[in-house]
Amino acid sequence: MTVHFIGAGPGAADLLTIRATRLLAASPVCLYAGTYLDAAVLEHCPDGARLVDTQDLDLDGITAELVAAHERGEDVARLCSGDPSVYSAIAEQTRRLDASGVPWDITPGIAAYAATAARLGRELTVPEVAQSVVLTRAQRDSTAMPSGESLEAFAATGATLVLHLAIRRARELADRLAEHYGADCPVAVAYRVEQPEEIVLRGTLADIAAQVEAHDLRQAAIIVVGWALQAEGFVESHLYSCRRAAEREERTAADIPGGLR
């Protein structure tokens, strides 16, 4: 048997990959995070499948379920919110599975920030505005952030900032970020994006905290900060720009003796 770690994307049943739905349909056991997923995702599971909501389980409890399924000879679909490469606790789980001799593999999913950008209709990397996206989180009752990964250090770059696990500290974080981006910097908050309960808030660092508090958002939401969210009048990407065409013409002319064409 194999434990299949599957990216469940933003939690919408129709935003899973074909591979993900195939693995779900073939696995008699499914572990999922009920906090983040639309229940319709579980309709891809076979009839009679053992469905385990992990939101109230610790790592020991989750591992016990995976090992028990292995001992029964059953494949497991382990659904992860977003993409398994970010904030999925894959490293901790696979380390324990390796120690127990349980095989596993990973199927990627749609990252939460990508689903949010699509809903906003915005590219997060706009030419000469922001060419980097920083995926990070806020620390509250959680493991410490590594030294050097302060919010202020990331904000100082001017990159588009995506904050996970930060919604309960929206006001504090907005105040800190305003010192670097400016209070009028655009912000978007996405709660359960692409699910029936979806809430998408748009504002600035000056007013986004009040919106979050008005909607009483406490989990399953990400915060996106940066000028790329409302960039207008920006230059075209070099790949497609008129500037690049002009440069090609200049190079061609330089290669012709006497500059003739």
Side-chain angles (χ1 to χ4, degrees):
M1 62 75 60
T2 300
V3 174
H4 305 290
F5 290 96
I6 299 171
D14 60 351
L15 281 180
L16 298 174
T17 66
I18 295 174
R19 181 186 298 177
T21 59
R22 176 175 57 80
L23 290 172
L24 279 169
S27 298
V29 179
C30 177
L31 273 65
Y32 66 99
T35 303
Y36 298 99
L37 300 183
D38 181 357
V41 171
L42 301 178
E43 294 176 4
H44 293 290
C45 296
D47 292 340
R50 175 173 170 76
L51 305 177
V52 180
D53 188 346
T54 61
Q55 64 178 310
D56 295 321
L57 295 180
D58 60 15
L59 191 55
D60 288 335
I62 292 171
T63 303
E65 286 283 352
L66 300 177
V67 172
H70 170 72
E71 293 173 346
R72 295 193 301 269
E74 297 175 332
D75 281 347
V76 179
R78 173 67 173 109
L79 288 170
C80 309
S81 60
D83 181 79
S85 65
V86 182
Y87 305 121
S88 62
I90 286 286
E92 296 96 316
Q93 293 174 78
T94 56
R95 178 171 60 187
R96 291 181 175 222
L97 292 180
D98 287 342
S100 299
V102 178
W104 53 271
D105 57 31
I106 300 175
T107 295
I110 298 173
Y113 76 89
T116 298
R119 174 58 75 203
L120 295 172
R122 286 289 179 174
E123 183 179 355
L124 302 183
T125 54
V126 177
E128 296 187 7
V129 176
Q131 287 291 282
S132 301
V133 178
V134 176
L135 309 178
T136 188
R137 66 170 176 84
Q139 181 185 351
R140 190 177 181 180
D141 301 324
S142 59
T143 53
M145 293 291 288
S147 60
E149 292 191 17
S150 71
L151 195 62
E152 287 76 10
F154 290 136
T157 68
T160 303
L161 192 64
V162 178
L163 285 164
H164 295 76
L165 309 175
I167 197 63
R168 296 187 183 186
R169 299 177 59 191
R171 185 168 294 278
E172 172 203 339
L173 298 176
D175 290 342
R176 289 168 60 186
L177 292 173
E179 296 181 11
H180 296 275
Y181 289 98
D184 58 342
C185 180
V187 183
V189 171
Y191 168 79
R192 292 187 177 274
V193 66
E194 295 288 354
Q195 296 188 44
E197 306 91 343
E198 173 188 279
I199 296 174
V200 176
L201 307 176
R202 293 175 171 86
T204 67
L205 286 172
D207 63 28
I208 197 64
Q211 294 189 54
V212 168
E213 291 164 1
H215 285 82
D216 195 28
L217 300 183
R218 297 177 179 274
Q219 61 182 5
I222 65 168
I223 303 171
V224 184
V225 181
W227 288 101
L229 292 178
Q230 70 173 36
E232 301 292 346
F234 50 86
V235 301
E236 294 179 336
S237 298
H238 186 70
L239 179 63
Y240 302 109
S241 71
C242 295
R243 290 185 299 174
R244 188 176 186 223
E247 290 171 1
R248 284 199 301 267
E249 291 180 2
E250 290 176 3
R251 288 196 299 270
T252 301
D255 291 338
I256 299 176
L260 300 177
R261 300 196 178 189

